[in-house]
Amino acid sequence: MAQTAVTLMALSPVAAAIGLLAYFLVERSRTVEPKPTFWGFLSTVAFWAVGALVFTGIVVSVAVSAFYDSANGPFAIFVYGPPALAIGGIVGALMWRKEMVKPNRTVERDARKSTARTSL
């Protein structure tokens, strides 16, 4: 039973990567213009995944070392690192989507300016 849980935790980045690739392809097919680029998606996802891994590494190393009063705390990253990568990747995809649908304020301002009444 415990071996299954560890295997699932270790393989979580693989499942997340497959899901994230499918999500990108669906978003790319739904978007009319401008088409999102894979490089932009990949860089955002990788940034958030590595950030989550570093944050987890620091927090887990300190917390496990302090809680168990053991010098083996940093090795806990091997258990908690893969899920951190998966969660960071998912958060990165959500942030990429949020950035992609952000309205262009310049266009809105220009539209308001062109429809405004002229000054007297």
Side-chain angles (χ1 to χ4, degrees):
M1 181 73 169
Q3 182 65 31
T4 305
V6 171
T7 303
L8 288 175
M9 286 177 69
L11 294 179
S12 62
V14 175
I18 293 169
L20 290 171
L21 182 62
Y23 176 73
F24 174 75
L25 293 174
V26 167
E27 284 297 322
R28 184 161 171 88
S29 67
R30 288 179 50 207
T31 308
V32 178
E33 285 298 324
K35 291 285 188 192
T37 61
F38 184 70
W39 180 250
F41 177 75
L42 184 66
S43 63
T44 305
V45 168
F47 172 78
W48 281 91
V50 170
L53 181 66
V54 169
F55 177 75
T56 302
I58 292 170
V59 169
V60 166
S61 295
V62 170
V64 171
S65 295
F67 185 74
Y68 290 111
D69 196 24
S70 168
N72 295 331
F75 293 113
I77 195 65
F78 294 119
V79 176
Y80 297 114
L85 280 174
I87 292 170
I90 293 168
V91 170
L94 294 174
M95 291 299 179
W96 170 79
R97 175 73 176 137
K98 179 182 164 191
E99 188 68 27
M100 190 174 78
V101 299
K102 187 168 34 172
N104 188 350
R105 298 286 181 207
T106 318
V107 173
E108 289 178 4
R109 192 173 333 117
D110 291 343
R112 272 184 271 151
K113 225 187 259 185
S114 65
T115 59
R117 292 177 36 191
T118 56
S119 61
L120 297 174

